[in-house]
Amino acid sequence: MQVIKQSMPDFMADFGKTFFEKASASLNPTFVPGTDRAKAWEQVVDVVPKSRPPFPGQRTIIAAVAAHLFGKDKRAAILSADMGTGKTLMAGVLAAIGTHKRRPQRVIAMVPPHLVGKWIREVEKTIPGAKAYGINDAGSIARLERAARENPGAPKTTEFWITGRVRARMGFSKKSGMEKLEGGFLDLMRGDRRKKKHLCPDCGRPVVVLKTEREVEKMSPEDRHNLIYVGKGEESAETGDGQHAAWPDDAYFEKGRKSCDWVYHKGGLERGCGTPLWQATRRGVGDQETLLVKALEAIDGIGNTKAKTVAACADKDDVVADLCNGVIHSTLYAILGKSASTRAHNHIMRYGFSGVDGNYAISEFIKRQLPKGWFDISVFDELHELDGDNTAQGVAMGVIAGCTKKIIGLTGTLVDGYAGSLFPLLFRINPRQMLRMGYKAGDAVLFQREKGVIKELVTEDLEDDFVSSKGRKKVTRQTRNLPGLHPSVITDFLLPNAVFVELQDMEEGVQEIARKHGEDIRLLPSYRETYVSVNLRESQVDPMKKFTTEMVNIIKKARRTGNKKLMGQAFYTLLYAADGCFEPVDFEWFDHETDTPCKITLMPDNPGEILEKEKIMLELALREKAAGRRLLVYSIYTDKRNLLSRYHELATQAGLRSYVLRSSVPTHKREAWIEEVMEKGCDVVFCNQEIVKTGLDMFGFQSIFYMQTGYSTNTILQSAKRSWRIGQTAPIRTYFSGYANSPQMNVLKLVAKNSTSPTRRRAISRKPACHTWQKMMRAHPSWPWPTRSWSLSGKRTTTLLWDPSAASMRTIWMGSMGPQPCTSSAKFSDGNTRQECRKLPHRSSSARPSQVIRWTFWPGCLPRPTRLSRRSTKRSPYTRTP
């Protein structure tokens, strides 16, 4: 067989047309721009009443999603669009289309907490006649219950109920709902230790807890006095054919949600009535005045002093009643004044007011108390932040999605490069498809193995043959997820349910209309990202190398012993050292092997001096100020090692008007905070990128400087373009900084690798390397070659292979008679799997543990791999796992 090596551009130039023809023949798109069907849906978008007409690009996207949801009657759609493309406007128009095609729609939107007010404003500006309600405060449950009671059916006009994702998943405290039965006089005379029993409040019988034999063996002699042994026959005491139960104590009912499962009745065990044995309680217990003061302080314009004054006045009940109805009482107006009363009125009109500090989750209330189907559409903004498998807000999303007929997901970064993080989102918006594909809830690890890339490190500890007659082997495996997606994820899960839009698409539609009239219009300014490589001072290079070497040794030792806490602390200190060496950087830990406390210190060469990266940041800020531009500086060190205060002090000393946006600013007030500091005339704002990465439009900051990036790819992709929006007129410049030849470079490389994976789809196509194993087969035709190439060693070597022809794993044992035809790294011909192997000498008494690295891209069409066999034969060239 002749093998031709050809570059990908040349290959696509020769065969690309054939591929596109095959794809066009096999795919059946729901929406094709320019067709009669597409024009019909675009006319529907034009007919729907709206105060702000969408851009041509937005109009096309809205029509496509509407054709999917209402034309094909699909349940879910994901709108993956760049930040600033107008996802809120498009979601509002889609709800209006549902009202136009069917009946008035009632929408529940789960958004970040600081965007609740912005969503209400956007809906009111976009959809005429639509009603928007904020349910992000303590009185949200009462308003929902009242609205459902007054109108259990369809609304009269389009309604939007906006809740923050934190409020949607909040929980409440629980306490025991049990009663105790004190022992009688005879029990006291006998000295019976089981004198206190907990009775079920429903059936009135004593509640017991079943115990297994293993649990009984682990119990102390004192605890065994509370045991009850119930036999099933006369010989049960001799044969052990019985059941143990115990009288639970008070602490048992305080933890979790217990129920009446088993009871003790007439000398035996019986099934309980199943009644819940817990009751809800408030998180903070206080008097009514304290609760009222706390509720008043949450209103914008009312501080602690004025809240106490209102709580102490005679007609406070009338004040609270008017606040619940959205009215400012005359007494409250006299206390606050005109300006503060206006702010308070705007707050209660937007968020409402309630004097109750309830924390019952809105998602649970919708599921358990509201009529089924009361909400028609659920919208989830910043969908990528709800990808946690077992997180509270992820579960809240699944609950709300299951209570609505249609689901719309909005995100700017749908894929972070890993298949496992995409699985919870796909399962929650379309569980039937995932179940049909063979996946269950919680199969994120399996989905990562089959649809993503994994790297498995296998360590084998082999004893010396002279130690015992039968060699022993200890095998440990560590699995890591790597960026990459299987092509079937795109074709089977994303393309049928998602629409992808870039910010440039919005501009191209407007430019096309402008060219018809002989005009040239640009909606977006230029955008440029620059990496700034910073060199350490010469006097700091050697101390930094020494400190890095010592910290890396600590990390390796902690990893070997399984001390993850120490690893995390060491990583944090190692990355901080380059930015914090203006003062001594200490790292203290306890060495359990020597039972002694240890300490490592990186001493600065000139304490208090401005570091090189800080000089670059200040120079950039002064240059931007001279040009009439503002600078936004990001830093991840805001807590224990607080660098924001230092940067603020340095900027003030340099003559810059700087401010620090901290997480203590309430989420719904951050937008107003930014507007306030811009009115004061700021030059630089310092903050953590986590608190501004979603929803906030930073139009006033034309340059962004990263002092540190952090590990989160989604955070960087979201925060880097906070200023690059439609309507921005100034060029946008984003700078990423890092110290050269430092651990910070490893972080930047990892982030760059992850950020390119979802956009460039590195895992979809791989460079073929079939010539490697072809040469090996020609050199050794008699060898039983599988369809992969591997590296061999003259010594005994273990290599792990995936053989698609056998659809199973292989463990290959090679002795000294094995050939050595290739290097230690190989690429495979099928484009689906890549594997890297290391030479593994047989371990002697002084050798290190053997290591095998398996980096596998699991093909979704093949059967799932079986577990590796732990047994192997040294005489056989290979053994296949059963």
Side-chain angles (χ1 to χ4, degrees), residues 697-738:
D697 297 329
M698 314 293 285
F699 282 101
F701 300 88
Q702 296 80 16
S703 296
I704 298 176
F705 190 87
Y706 282 83
M707 296 295 289
Q708 304 91 23
T709 59
Y711 281 101
S712 177
T713 305
N714 286 336
T715 300
I716 295 175
L717 294 177
Q718 290 276 351
S719 60
K721 298 181 180 180
R722 282 294 97 198
S723 305
W724 196 50
R725 293 286 189 273
I726 295 178
Q728 178 66 264
T729 58
I732 303 302
R733 301 292 180 259
T734 302
Y735 302 90
F736 301 90
S737 63

mmCIF file of all heavy atoms in Angstrom, residues 697-738:
data_model
loop_
_atom_site.group_PDB
_atom_site.id
_atom_site.type_symbol
_atom_site.label_atom_id
_atom_site.label_comp_id
_atom_site.label_asym_id
_atom_site.label_seq_id
_atom_site.Cartn_x
_atom_site.Cartn_y
_atom_site.Cartn_z
ATOM 1 N N ASP A 697 -20.671 45.860 31.568
ATOM 2 C CA ASP A 697 -20.094 46.492 30.385
ATOM 3 C C ASP A 697 -19.136 47.587 30.837
ATOM 4 O O ASP A 697 -19.557 48.610 31.377
ATOM 5 C CB ASP A 697 -21.195 47.079 29.494
ATOM 6 C CG ASP A 697 -22.118 46.008 28.949
ATOM 7 O OD1 ASP A 697 -21.637 44.883 28.742
ATOM 8 O OD2 ASP A 697 -23.308 46.297 28.729
ATOM 9 N N MET A 698 -17.860 47.367 30.620
ATOM 10 C CA MET A 698 -16.828 48.316 31.050
ATOM 11 C C MET A 698 -16.434 49.215 29.882
ATOM 12 O O MET A 698 -15.292 49.224 29.434
ATOM 13 C CB MET A 698 -15.622 47.551 31.598
ATOM 14 C CG MET A 698 -15.958 46.431 32.550
ATOM 15 S SD MET A 698 -16.662 46.997 34.107
ATOM 16 C CE MET A 698 -15.199 47.639 34.903
ATOM 17 N N PHE A 699 -17.396 49.977 29.357
ATOM 18 C CA PHE A 699 -17.124 50.838 28.212
ATOM 19 C C PHE A 699 -16.077 51.901 28.527
ATOM 20 O O PHE A 699 -15.340 52.328 27.640
ATOM 21 C CB PHE A 699 -18.421 51.536 27.768
ATOM 22 C CG PHE A 699 -19.344 50.660 26.980
ATOM 23 C CD1 PHE A 699 -20.444 50.088 27.580
ATOM 24 C CD2 PHE A 699 -19.100 50.403 25.651
ATOM 25 C CE1 PHE A 699 -21.297 49.268 26.867
ATOM 26 C CE2 PHE A 699 -19.946 49.577 24.921
ATOM 27 C CZ PHE A 699 -21.043 49.017 25.535
ATOM 28 N N GLY A 700 -16.020 52.339 29.769
ATOM 29 C CA GLY A 700 -15.127 53.435 30.111
ATOM 30 C C GLY A 700 -13.680 53.051 30.265
ATOM 31 O O GLY A 700 -12.833 53.934 30.470
ATOM 32 N N PHE A 701 -13.337 51.765 30.158
ATOM 33 C CA PHE A 701 -11.960 51.303 30.339
ATOM 34 C C PHE A 701 -11.478 50.711 29.015
ATOM 35 O O PHE A 701 -11.884 49.609 28.630
ATOM 36 C CB PHE A 701 -11.886 50.288 31.473
ATOM 37 C CG PHE A 701 -12.342 50.838 32.791
ATOM 38 C CD1 PHE A 701 -13.682 50.778 33.160
ATOM 39 C CD2 PHE A 701 -11.447 51.431 33.657
ATOM 40 C CE1 PHE A 701 -14.110 51.286 34.360
ATOM 41 C CE2 PHE A 701 -11.869 51.941 34.871
ATOM 42 C CZ PHE A 701 -13.203 51.883 35.226
ATOM 43 N N GLN A 702 -10.611 51.455 28.352
ATOM 44 C CA GLN A 702 -10.186 51.070 27.014
ATOM 45 C C GLN A 702 -8.989 50.123 27.012
ATOM 46 O O GLN A 702 -8.659 49.555 25.983
ATOM 47 C CB GLN A 702 -9.844 52.318 26.194
ATOM 48 C CG GLN A 702 -11.008 53.255 25.942
ATOM 49 C CD GLN A 702 -11.319 54.152 27.132
ATOM 50 O OE1 GLN A 702 -10.511 54.304 28.039
ATOM 51 N NE2 GLN A 702 -12.509 54.754 27.125
ATOM 52 N N SER A 703 -8.343 49.959 28.155
ATOM 53 C CA SER A 703 -7.192 49.052 28.250
ATOM 54 C C SER A 703 -7.355 48.178 29.483
ATOM 55 O O SER A 703 -7.855 48.636 30.525
ATOM 56 C CB SER A 703 -5.874 49.826 28.328
ATOM 57 O OG SER A 703 -5.647 50.554 27.137
ATOM 58 N N ILE A 704 -6.949 46.922 29.359
ATOM 59 C CA ILE A 704 -7.039 45.940 30.446
ATOM 60 C C ILE A 704 -5.666 45.317 30.634
ATOM 61 O O ILE A 704 -5.012 44.922 29.659
ATOM 62 C CB ILE A 704 -8.088 44.859 30.134
ATOM 63 C CG1 ILE A 704 -9.484 45.490 29.999
ATOM 64 C CG2 ILE A 704 -8.100 43.790 31.211
ATOM 65 C CD1 ILE A 704 -10.550 44.508 29.593
ATOM 66 N N PHE A 705 -5.227 45.238 31.889
ATOM 67 C CA PHE A 705 -3.903 44.698 32.198
ATOM 68 C C PHE A 705 -4.058 43.586 33.237
ATOM 69 O O PHE A 705 -4.628 43.805 34.314
ATOM 70 C CB PHE A 705 -2.984 45.796 32.740
ATOM 71 C CG PHE A 705 -1.545 45.386 32.861
ATOM 72 C CD1 PHE A 705 -0.684 45.507 31.791
ATOM 73 C CD2 PHE A 705 -1.055 44.874 34.055
ATOM 74 C CE1 PHE A 705 0.642 45.125 31.906
ATOM 75 C CE2 PHE A 705 0.261 44.490 34.176
ATOM 76 C CZ PHE A 705 1.116 44.615 33.099
ATOM 77 N N TYR A 706 -3.576 42.395 32.913
ATOM 78 C CA TYR A 706 -3.610 41.246 33.820
ATOM 79 C C TYR A 706 -2.285 41.185 34.578
ATOM 80 O O TYR A 706 -1.241 40.878 33.999
ATOM 81 C CB TYR A 706 -3.806 39.943 33.047
ATOM 82 C CG TYR A 706 -5.210 39.664 32.595
ATOM 83 C CD1 TYR A 706 -5.714 40.221 31.423
ATOM 84 C CD2 TYR A 706 -6.046 38.835 33.328
ATOM 85 C CE1 TYR A 706 -7.007 39.964 30.996
ATOM 86 C CE2 TYR A 706 -7.340 38.567 32.916
ATOM 87 C CZ TYR A 706 -7.810 39.137 31.753
ATOM 88 O OH TYR A 706 -9.093 38.876 31.335
ATOM 89 N N MET A 707 -2.340 41.451 35.871
ATOM 90 C CA MET A 707 -1.159 41.210 36.703
ATOM 91 C C MET A 707 -0.960 39.709 36.903
ATOM 92 O O MET A 707 0.164 39.223 36.927
ATOM 93 C CB MET A 707 -1.323 41.905 38.049
ATOM 94 C CG MET A 707 -1.402 43.417 37.965
ATOM 95 S SD MET A 707 0.126 44.178 37.366
ATOM 96 C CE MET A 707 1.220 43.922 38.745
ATOM 97 N N GLN A 708 -2.058 38.981 37.094
ATOM 98 C CA GLN A 708 -2.059 37.516 37.122
ATOM 99 C C GLN A 708 -3.323 37.044 36.416
ATOM 100 O O GLN A 708 -4.334 37.739 36.404
ATOM 101 C CB GLN A 708 -2.028 36.973 38.561
ATOM 102 C CG GLN A 708 -0.866 37.454 39.401
ATOM 103 C CD GLN A 708 -1.182 38.723 40.166
ATOM 104 O OE1 GLN A 708 -2.338 39.021 40.422
ATOM 105 N NE2 GLN A 708 -0.159 39.490 40.510
ATOM 106 N N THR A 709 -3.257 35.872 35.838
ATOM 107 C CA THR A 709 -4.393 35.359 35.064
ATOM 108 C C THR A 709 -5.217 34.343 35.833
ATOM 109 O O THR A 709 -6.440 34.315 35.701
ATOM 110 C CB THR A 709 -3.907 34.708 33.763
ATOM 111 O OG1 THR A 709 -2.998 33.638 34.077
ATOM 112 C CG2 THR A 709 -3.207 35.734 32.878
ATOM 113 N N GLY A 710 -4.599 33.511 36.643
ATOM 114 C CA GLY A 710 -5.331 32.412 37.251
ATOM 115 C C GLY A 710 -5.463 31.252 36.276
ATOM 116 O O GLY A 710 -5.003 31.307 35.130
ATOM 117 N N TYR A 711 -6.127 30.183 36.744
ATOM 118 C CA TYR A 711 -6.230 28.963 35.950
ATOM 119 C C TYR A 711 -7.516 28.869 35.141
ATOM 120 O O TYR A 711 -7.597 28.083 34.208
ATOM 121 C CB TYR A 711 -6.153 27.733 36.870
ATOM 122 C CG TYR A 711 -4.756 27.375 37.307
ATOM 123 C CD1 TYR A 711 -4.292 27.717 38.571
ATOM 124 C CD2 TYR A 711 -3.905 26.691 36.473
ATOM 125 C CE1 TYR A 711 -3.016 27.393 38.981
ATOM 126 C CE2 TYR A 711 -2.626 26.355 36.867
ATOM 127 C CZ TYR A 711 -2.181 26.703 38.126
ATOM 128 O OH TYR A 711 -0.916 26.378 38.521
ATOM 129 N N SER A 712 -8.535 29.616 35.483
ATOM 130 C CA SER A 712 -9.851 29.441 34.864
ATOM 131 C C SER A 712 -9.865 29.997 33.449
ATOM 132 O O SER A 712 -9.704 31.213 33.243
ATOM 133 C CB SER A 712 -10.930 30.117 35.708
ATOM 134 O OG SER A 712 -12.186 30.020 35.083
ATOM 135 N N THR A 713 -10.073 29.127 32.470
ATOM 136 C CA THR A 713 -10.152 29.565 31.084
ATOM 137 C C THR A 713 -11.404 30.385 30.842
ATOM 138 O O THR A 713 -11.367 31.413 30.143
ATOM 139 C CB THR A 713 -10.140 28.344 30.154
ATOM 140 O OG1 THR A 713 -8.993 27.546 30.440
ATOM 141 C CG2 THR A 713 -10.096 28.773 28.706
ATOM 142 N N ASN A 714 -12.529 29.959 31.403
ATOM 143 C CA ASN A 714 -13.774 30.704 31.222
ATOM 144 C C ASN A 714 -13.666 32.120 31.770
ATOM 145 O O ASN A 714 -14.156 33.075 31.156
ATOM 146 C CB ASN A 714 -14.929 29.972 31.911
ATOM 147 C CG ASN A 714 -15.353 28.732 31.152
ATOM 148 O OD1 ASN A 714 -15.144 28.629 29.950
ATOM 149 N ND2 ASN A 714 -15.933 27.783 31.854
ATOM 150 N N THR A 715 -13.020 32.266 32.921
ATOM 151 C CA THR A 715 -12.884 33.597 33.513
ATOM 152 C C THR A 715 -12.066 34.514 32.621
ATOM 153 O O THR A 715 -12.415 35.692 32.435
ATOM 154 C CB THR A 715 -12.227 33.479 34.901
ATOM 155 O OG1 THR A 715 -13.053 32.667 35.739
ATOM 156 C CG2 THR A 715 -12.058 34.839 35.529
ATOM 157 N N ILE A 716 -10.997 34.003 32.051
ATOM 158 C CA ILE A 716 -10.155 34.837 31.193
ATOM 159 C C ILE A 716 -10.884 35.208 29.911
ATOM 160 O O ILE A 716 -10.869 36.369 29.468
ATOM 161 C CB ILE A 716 -8.832 34.107 30.891
ATOM 162 C CG1 ILE A 716 -8.034 33.925 32.180
ATOM 163 C CG2 ILE A 716 -8.008 34.872 29.865
ATOM 164 C CD1 ILE A 716 -6.780 33.121 32.012
ATOM 165 N N LEU A 717 -11.549 34.242 29.290
ATOM 166 C CA LEU A 717 -12.270 34.538 28.052
ATOM 167 C C LEU A 717 -13.398 35.527 28.287
ATOM 168 O O LEU A 717 -13.708 36.349 27.412
ATOM 169 C CB LEU A 717 -12.822 33.240 27.458
ATOM 170 C CG LEU A 717 -11.787 32.227 26.958
ATOM 171 C CD1 LEU A 717 -12.473 30.965 26.454
ATOM 172 C CD2 LEU A 717 -10.912 32.815 25.868
ATOM 173 N N GLN A 718 -14.022 35.470 29.464
ATOM 174 C CA GLN A 718 -15.128 36.379 29.754
ATOM 175 C C GLN A 718 -14.637 37.768 30.125
ATOM 176 O O GLN A 718 -15.245 38.772 29.751
ATOM 177 C CB GLN A 718 -15.977 35.810 30.904
ATOM 178 C CG GLN A 718 -16.774 34.585 30.556
ATOM 179 C CD GLN A 718 -18.097 34.935 29.889
ATOM 180 O OE1 GLN A 718 -18.493 36.071 29.823
ATOM 181 N NE2 GLN A 718 -18.770 33.919 29.375
ATOM 182 N N SER A 719 -13.559 37.860 30.893
ATOM 183 C CA SER A 719 -13.116 39.153 31.410
ATOM 184 C C SER A 719 -12.215 39.915 30.450
ATOM 185 O O SER A 719 -12.067 41.129 30.591
ATOM 186 C CB SER A 719 -12.377 38.951 32.738
ATOM 187 O OG SER A 719 -11.235 38.125 32.559
ATOM 188 N N ALA A 720 -11.608 39.242 29.484
ATOM 189 C CA ALA A 720 -10.654 39.919 28.597
ATOM 190 C C ALA A 720 -11.328 40.915 27.663
ATOM 191 O O ALA A 720 -10.699 41.880 27.225
ATOM 192 C CB ALA A 720 -9.866 38.887 27.786
ATOM 193 N N LYS A 721 -12.603 40.711 27.357
ATOM 194 C CA LYS A 721 -13.294 41.575 26.393
ATOM 195 C C LYS A 721 -14.458 42.321 27.047
ATOM 196 O O LYS A 721 -15.488 42.540 26.423
ATOM 197 C CB LYS A 721 -13.806 40.737 25.218
ATOM 198 C CG LYS A 721 -12.695 40.058 24.433
ATOM 199 C CD LYS A 721 -13.241 39.261 23.260
ATOM 200 C CE LYS A 721 -12.121 38.593 22.481
ATOM 201 N NZ LYS A 721 -12.616 37.804 21.334
ATOM 202 N N ARG A 722 -14.264 42.716 28.293
ATOM 203 C CA ARG A 722 -15.320 43.464 28.978
ATOM 204 C C ARG A 722 -15.589 44.808 28.311
ATOM 205 O O ARG A 722 -16.690 45.354 28.416
ATOM 206 C CB ARG A 722 -14.921 43.710 30.426
ATOM 207 C CG ARG A 722 -15.080 42.542 31.349
ATOM 208 C CD ARG A 722 -16.529 42.142 31.543
ATOM 209 N NE ARG A 722 -16.934 41.036 30.685
ATOM 210 C CZ ARG A 722 -18.170 40.743 30.421
ATOM 211 N NH1 ARG A 722 -19.148 41.477 30.887
ATOM 212 N NH2 ARG A 722 -18.476 39.726 29.641
ATOM 213 N N SER A 723 -14.598 45.373 27.657
ATOM 214 C CA SER A 723 -14.755 46.690 27.043
ATOM 215 C C SER A 723 -15.048 46.621 25.554
ATOM 216 O O SER A 723 -15.423 47.641 24.965
ATOM 217 C CB SER A 723 -13.486 47.531 27.273
ATOM 218 O OG SER A 723 -13.166 47.610 28.636
ATOM 219 N N TRP A 724 -14.840 45.481 24.942
ATOM 220 C CA TRP A 724 -15.023 45.363 23.489
ATOM 221 C C TRP A 724 -16.486 45.014 23.236
ATOM 222 O O TRP A 724 -16.877 43.856 23.263
ATOM 223 C CB TRP A 724 -14.086 44.296 22.937
ATOM 224 C CG TRP A 724 -13.932 44.373 21.454
ATOM 225 C CD1 TRP A 724 -13.635 45.469 20.703
ATOM 226 C CD2 TRP A 724 -14.051 43.289 20.531
ATOM 227 N NE1 TRP A 724 -13.553 45.158 19.380
ATOM 228 C CE2 TRP A 724 -13.818 43.818 19.235
ATOM 229 C CE3 TRP A 724 -14.340 41.941 20.662
ATOM 230 C CZ2 TRP A 724 -13.858 43.030 18.098
ATOM 231 C CZ3 TRP A 724 -14.371 41.162 19.527
ATOM 232 C CH2 TRP A 724 -14.131 41.695 18.255
ATOM 233 N N ARG A 725 -17.283 46.024 22.996
ATOM 234 C CA ARG A 725 -18.710 45.896 22.831
ATOM 235 C C ARG A 725 -19.174 46.730 21.641
ATOM 236 O O ARG A 725 -18.478 47.645 21.195
ATOM 237 C CB ARG A 725 -19.453 46.386 24.094
ATOM 238 C CG ARG A 725 -19.241 45.528 25.326
ATOM 239 C CD ARG A 725 -20.031 44.235 25.188
ATOM 240 N NE ARG A 725 -20.048 43.474 26.414
ATOM 241 C CZ ARG A 725 -19.113 42.607 26.766
ATOM 242 N NH1 ARG A 725 -18.070 42.422 25.981
ATOM 243 N NH2 ARG A 725 -19.217 41.924 27.880
ATOM 244 N N ILE A 726 -20.359 46.394 21.142
ATOM 245 C CA ILE A 726 -20.974 47.241 20.132
ATOM 246 C C ILE A 726 -21.330 48.577 20.783
ATOM 247 O O ILE A 726 -22.021 48.611 21.803
ATOM 248 C CB ILE A 726 -22.228 46.564 19.551
ATOM 249 C CG1 ILE A 726 -21.845 45.290 18.787
ATOM 250 C CG2 ILE A 726 -22.991 47.516 18.640
ATOM 251 C CD1 ILE A 726 -23.019 44.528 18.232
ATOM 252 N N GLY A 727 -20.879 49.639 20.203
ATOM 253 C CA GLY A 727 -21.037 50.965 20.784
ATOM 254 C C GLY A 727 -19.731 51.533 21.297
ATOM 255 O O GLY A 727 -19.659 52.729 21.595
ATOM 256 N N GLN A 728 -18.702 50.698 21.433
ATOM 257 C CA GLN A 728 -17.387 51.164 21.840
ATOM 258 C C GLN A 728 -16.705 51.831 20.645
ATOM 259 O O GLN A 728 -16.683 51.277 19.545
ATOM 260 C CB GLN A 728 -16.544 50.005 22.354
ATOM 261 C CG GLN A 728 -15.130 50.358 22.763
ATOM 262 C CD GLN A 728 -15.075 51.259 23.962
ATOM 263 O OE1 GLN A 728 -14.974 52.479 23.819
ATOM 264 N NE2 GLN A 728 -15.183 50.677 25.149
ATOM 265 N N THR A 729 -16.153 52.998 20.877
ATOM 266 C CA THR A 729 -15.517 53.754 19.785
ATOM 267 C C THR A 729 -14.001 53.755 19.870
ATOM 268 O O THR A 729 -13.333 53.956 18.857
ATOM 269 C CB THR A 729 -16.016 55.206 19.805
ATOM 270 O OG1 THR A 729 -15.730 55.793 21.086
ATOM 271 C CG2 THR A 729 -17.523 55.266 19.542
ATOM 272 N N ALA A 730 -13.435 53.537 21.040
ATOM 273 C CA ALA A 730 -11.981 53.580 21.205
ATOM 274 C C ALA A 730 -11.380 52.197 20.978
ATOM 275 O O ALA A 730 -12.013 51.177 21.268
ATOM 276 C CB ALA A 730 -11.630 54.081 22.605
ATOM 277 N N PRO A 731 -10.157 52.120 20.449
ATOM 278 C CA PRO A 731 -9.491 50.819 20.306
ATOM 279 C C PRO A 731 -9.278 50.162 21.672
ATOM 280 O O PRO A 731 -8.984 50.830 22.663
ATOM 281 C CB PRO A 731 -8.154 51.176 19.643
ATOM 282 C CG PRO A 731 -8.368 52.519 19.028
ATOM 283 C CD PRO A 731 -9.346 53.229 19.898
ATOM 284 N N ILE A 732 -9.431 48.851 21.717
ATOM 285 C CA ILE A 732 -9.306 48.097 22.962
ATOM 286 C C ILE A 732 -7.992 47.333 22.947
ATOM 287 O O ILE A 732 -7.664 46.648 21.966
ATOM 288 C CB ILE A 732 -10.494 47.132 23.141
ATOM 289 C CG1 ILE A 732 -11.806 47.901 23.116
ATOM 290 C CG2 ILE A 732 -10.355 46.358 24.442
ATOM 291 C CD1 ILE A 732 -11.925 48.968 24.166
ATOM 292 N N ARG A 733 -7.252 47.444 24.043
ATOM 293 C CA ARG A 733 -5.978 46.756 24.187
ATOM 294 C C ARG A 733 -5.995 45.951 25.479
ATOM 295 O O ARG A 733 -6.316 46.481 26.549
ATOM 296 C CB ARG A 733 -4.824 47.762 24.218
ATOM 297 C CG ARG A 733 -4.742 48.638 22.972
ATOM 298 C CD ARG A 733 -4.356 47.818 21.756
ATOM 299 N NE ARG A 733 -4.264 48.637 20.549
ATOM 300 C CZ ARG A 733 -5.222 48.697 19.622
ATOM 301 N NH1 ARG A 733 -6.323 47.979 19.775
ATOM 302 N NH2 ARG A 733 -5.078 49.445 18.552
ATOM 303 N N THR A 734 -5.641 44.680 25.380
ATOM 304 C CA THR A 734 -5.591 43.783 26.537
ATOM 305 C C THR A 734 -4.176 43.244 26.666
ATOM 306 O O THR A 734 -3.597 42.749 25.682
ATOM 307 C CB THR A 734 -6.581 42.621 26.371
ATOM 308 O OG1 THR A 734 -7.905 43.154 26.209
ATOM 309 C CG2 THR A 734 -6.565 41.722 27.584
ATOM 310 N N TYR A 735 -3.628 43.325 27.875
ATOM 311 C CA TYR A 735 -2.237 42.933 28.129
ATOM 312 C C TYR A 735 -2.215 41.813 29.169
ATOM 313 O O TYR A 735 -2.839 41.921 30.233
ATOM 314 C CB TYR A 735 -1.413 44.118 28.634
ATOM 315 C CG TYR A 735 -1.394 45.311 27.698
ATOM 316 C CD1 TYR A 735 -2.357 46.305 27.797
ATOM 317 C CD2 TYR A 735 -0.413 45.430 26.717
ATOM 318 C CE1 TYR A 735 -2.353 47.402 26.935
ATOM 319 C CE2 TYR A 735 -0.398 46.517 25.856
ATOM 320 C CZ TYR A 735 -1.369 47.502 25.963
ATOM 321 O OH TYR A 735 -1.365 48.581 25.106
ATOM 322 N N PHE A 736 -1.499 40.731 28.851
ATOM 323 C CA PHE A 736 -1.260 39.624 29.773
ATOM 324 C C PHE A 736 0.208 39.664 30.166
ATOM 325 O O PHE A 736 1.088 39.651 29.284
ATOM 326 C CB PHE A 736 -1.593 38.281 29.139
ATOM 327 C CG PHE A 736 -3.017 38.163 28.672
ATOM 328 C CD1 PHE A 736 -3.377 38.535 27.388
ATOM 329 C CD2 PHE A 736 -3.998 37.698 29.521
ATOM 330 C CE1 PHE A 736 -4.692 38.430 26.954
ATOM 331 C CE2 PHE A 736 -5.313 37.582 29.095
ATOM 332 C CZ PHE A 736 -5.658 37.957 27.816
ATOM 333 N N SER A 737 0.490 39.683 31.451
ATOM 334 C CA SER A 737 1.876 39.798 31.914
ATOM 335 C C SER A 737 2.278 38.570 32.704
ATOM 336 O O SER A 737 1.439 37.915 33.343
ATOM 337 C CB SER A 737 2.046 41.057 32.776
ATOM 338 O OG SER A 737 1.255 40.972 33.942
ATOM 339 N N GLY A 738 3.560 38.283 32.666
ATOM 340 C CA GLY A 738 4.100 37.156 33.416
ATOM 341 C C GLY A 738 5.609 37.243 33.468
ATOM 342 O O GLY A 738 6.258 37.766 32.549
#
